[in-house]
Each structure stands twice: as structure tokens, then as C-alpha cells.
Amino acid sequence: STGRNSLPTMLELHFTLAGTVLTTHSTGERLTDFLHRVLAHRAWGTVSHQGEWSWNREPPCLNNKEDGTVSYAQFCEDSFEAKEQKRKLQSFTDFDQPGGELALELAPIIENLLLPAELVGTAEAKKAGLNADFHQLLPCFFEFMLHLQREERDFRVIFHSPDSAELAAAVKEFNAFCCGTHPLYPTVSFSHRISRTLELGEWNALELQQTVRTVLEAQAQPALAVLERDDASLFLVDPASSFPWQIMFDCMGPERMDARHSQDGSKVAWSEIVGTHVMPVETLAAMADREYLIRVFCHAEKRMESLEAARAPSTTFALTEVMD
């Protein structure tokens, strides 16, 4: 794989869950309702004097820099009571609603996330935690794991979430995948089964870093789950180090991440780590494309390889001296 000769082989891969590698763990939420909710937070427009929202016709994105625009989700929150908000979001892409023209955005996602009809409701699906008719952990996540295995990479997996039920759902399906009991991946075998969840309230940042390192370095524990104390994911990282190469895959951006230096607990600026230690994930693209995380990782690996090459001391001067 790209950069394997010059980059360390140890990868410490962190994943926030909802919107990054997970759809929804709620058995009561339909896939279309979940997707409408995701899309409504990424569709931007303006509000008329009559109080009507109109899409600005820009591709959906989480953070919009255009002045005077508001996401449809925010518009609904500001304009309607809870019951009406829910109805508006559920019908967002209906042909006579403000997001009608965005319906095509959802078609490839639905196709990619629906489970085979013959699998839905079976004992095998339920044993893996698949209680609805669609994927929980995204196909691109599993394809990324398989890619790393094919490339014989040494890696660790850490899930992050403030929601204990969400974390449990992700761990259950991931463990089924690792053990070869996931009905969509019956021949898979990984040693990354998660058997421990760390609660952030139990330690300060530096104590947690030591605990995480101790757990991950144990051969029998190459994966774990972290229950966050709030919505801001704690990411302990050394920006100057690439061994292990710590990477956080996250869909929410700097406002929802608490990046701390693993040596002293000091704040780490987003600009120091984005693109090398933090990989922003576009939720809609990740849900539609099975190769999405592989491409994001390979792009980051090329960038890290370039940075490592730039940091390496030049031998040109020494060579010139010898030749003289």
C-alpha cells in the first residue's frame, strides 16, 4: 500500500459513531427518517419574509459559509413545535416539500444501506444486532477493515460515543464481524473483538491515555470502546509522532472534538491535525460509497508520507562533502 516503506505500520484508528460509521441503532426509526434528518442538517437555504425556507441549490454539506443561510433542520427547530418538526423532517424530500429536489441525493444511499430481503428478521441478523432492514455499521467501514487485513496492516480500533446504547450496538455488530458470525461477512476472521468499554468519567486525560495504551498494547486487546462524558469526543494525540499513527475519523468537525496532547494534556489546534491525524468524514458520501473510507485513508497516507519525507534530514550536503 502507499507509503508502507516509509511509514510506521502501527495504526491507531479512532471512530466517532453516529454519522461517521454508524447509521442508527434505534429499531423504531426508519431508514428514510434517519436519512432525512441527516440531509436536513446539511441542506442550506434562506427564509423568506413569509417564513418559508428555500434551498440554495448548493450540494449538501455540514458547515456552510454563505451568509444569511440556515439549515433546514435549524429552520424547523426555530419555527415549529416538536411534533410538527418531526413531521416536517420526515416529509422533507417529498415532491411538494422544500427538499423535493434533493430526493435524488438519497437514492444511492438507500440502495447501499438496505439489507438483502432474505436476511431481514432472521436469527442470524438479530444475533449480529441487525434488528431493522438496513445496515447499522456502514459497509464502507467493513470494507476498510478488510482492506487493512489484505494489506497486512497492524491496526487498533477504538469506538467513541456519548451514547451507551449506540456504543453497545456498534460493539455487538463489530464483534460479530470479527468472529465470522455476521451474516454478510461469514468467512471473516479478525482478532479485534471488543471486550472492554472505558468510561471517560473515571480518569483525567493523561490517566486515560496510559490506560488506553496499556489496553491496546496487550496482544489480546487490539480494540476497545470509549464512552464519552459529553458530545465532544476526546482525542489524545501527539501531532509530532507517527508511531503509532493515530487517526480520528469524525463527521462533526472541530466544535465537537476535544483534541489533547497525549504527553501533557494541553489543547491541540484543529489546524495542527486535520488531514493527518483527523479525517473529516462526509456522512452522505460515506453512506453511499463502499470504498469511501479506503480512499480517505489512502489520501491521508500519501499526505503523511510527504510530510515524513520533508521532515527527514537531507543527505545531499554530506554526500557533497564526501565527494569533494
Side-chain angles (χ1 to χ4, degrees):
S1 67
T2 302
R4 285 181 65 182
N5 293 328
S6 57
L7 286 173
T9 56
M10 171 68 78
L11 304 170
E12 186 178 298
L13 306 175
H14 298 252
F15 299 90
T16 57
L17 291 180
T20 301
V21 294
L22 189 79
T23 53
T24 175
H25 64 279
S26 171
T27 56
E29 185 171 36
R30 299 179 303 172
L31 177 60
T32 51
D33 292 344
F34 168 75
L35 293 177
H36 281 151
R37 187 157 49 83
V38 170
L39 184 59
H41 280 93
R42 290 159 176 79
W44 298 81
T46 55
V47 181
S48 69
H49 293 299
Q50 290 75 35
E52 297 180 347
W53 183 91
S54 297
W55 177 41
N56 66 0
R57 312 193 70 78
E58 293 294 325
C61 63
L62 186 60
N63 297 303
N64 185 67
K65 294 182 170 62
E66 187 178 340
D67 291 339
T69 59
V70 62
S71 71
Y72 186 68
Q74 187 62 55
F75 164 72
C76 289
E77 185 176 330
D78 295 341
S79 306
F80 307 108
E81 297 295 330
K83 187 174 181 179
E84 183 65 7
Q85 281 182 44
K86 183 177 180 180
R87 190 187 70 80
K88 288 286 187 181
L89 291 176
Q90 288 177 341
S91 61
F92 179 42
T93 61
D94 289 356
F95 75 94
D96 58 346
Q97 293 299 309
E101 293 181 85
L102 287 163
L104 291 177
E105 296 280 342
L106 301 185
I109 296 174
I110 292 173
E111 181 180 357
N112 191 41
L113 292 184
L114 285 176
L115 296 174
E118 63 273 16
L119 178 61
V120 177
T122 63
E124 292 79 11
K126 291 178 180 178
K127 187 176 180 181
L130 297 170
N131 297 310
D133 62 350
F134 56 89
H135 288 265
Q136 285 185 150
L137 285 170
L138 298 184
C140 71
F141 171 76
F142 291 128
E143 292 301 323
F144 182 35
M145 297 293 102
L146 293 171
H147 169 79
L148 294 174
Q149 186 182 62
R150 287 192 298 268
E151 294 292 308
E152 299 181 349
R153 303 303 293 266
D154 186 3
F155 65 97
R156 307 291 183 260
V157 173
I158 302 95
F159 287 153
H160 295 254
S161 176
D163 185 331
S164 59
E166 178 180 271
L167 202 59
V171 167
K172 183 176 183 178
E173 186 176 0
F174 180 66
N175 285 347
F177 170 78
C178 292
C179 296
T181 59
H182 195 296
L184 294 174
Y185 304 93
T187 62
V188 166
S189 178
F190 280 80
S191 62
H192 292 69
R193 190 174 184 277
I194 296 174
S195 60
R196 183 171 181 183
T197 297
L198 302 180
E199 296 189 27
L200 284 194
E202 298 176 11
W203 297 283
N204 63 40
L206 295 181
E207 289 174 336
L208 178 68
Q209 173 66 11
Q210 184 59 45
T211 303
V212 168
R213 191 67 50 234
T214 300
V215 171
L216 291 177
E217 287 177 357
Q219 289 298 313
Q221 189 72 50
L224 67 110
V226 176
L227 182 63
E228 305 283 356
R229 54 175 160 252
D230 52 40
D231 286 342
S233 295
L234 178 63
F235 181 37
L236 299 164
V237 61
D238 183 351
S241 174
S242 58
F243 189 85
W245 184 14
Q246 299 163 297
I247 309 174
M248 172 71 87
F249 294 86
D250 175 65
C251 71
M252 295 308 296
E255 296 81 10
R256 297 281 293 275
M257 184 176 297
D258 183 12
R260 301 275 179 168
H261 201 293
S262 58
Q263 301 302 316
D264 59 15
S266 60
K267 281 275 192 181
V268 176
W270 176 265
S271 59
E272 282 188 65
I273 53 178
V274 67
T276 53
H277 293 280
V278 173
M279 302 296 121
V281 171
E282 174 43 58
T283 300
L284 296 175
M287 290 192 293
D289 182 0
R290 289 174 177 262
E291 303 293 312
Y292 178 82
L293 286 180
I294 296 175
R295 281 200 297 276
V296 168
F297 172 74
C298 289
H299 178 76
E301 196 167 35
K302 289 179 181 178
R303 178 168 179 174
M304 185 63 104
E305 184 179 27
S306 298
L307 290 174
E308 290 294 307
R311 289 171 183 163
S314 173
T315 59
T316 305
F317 179 72
L319 181 61
T320 302
E321 287 189 316
V322 171
M323 292 177 68
D324 289 345

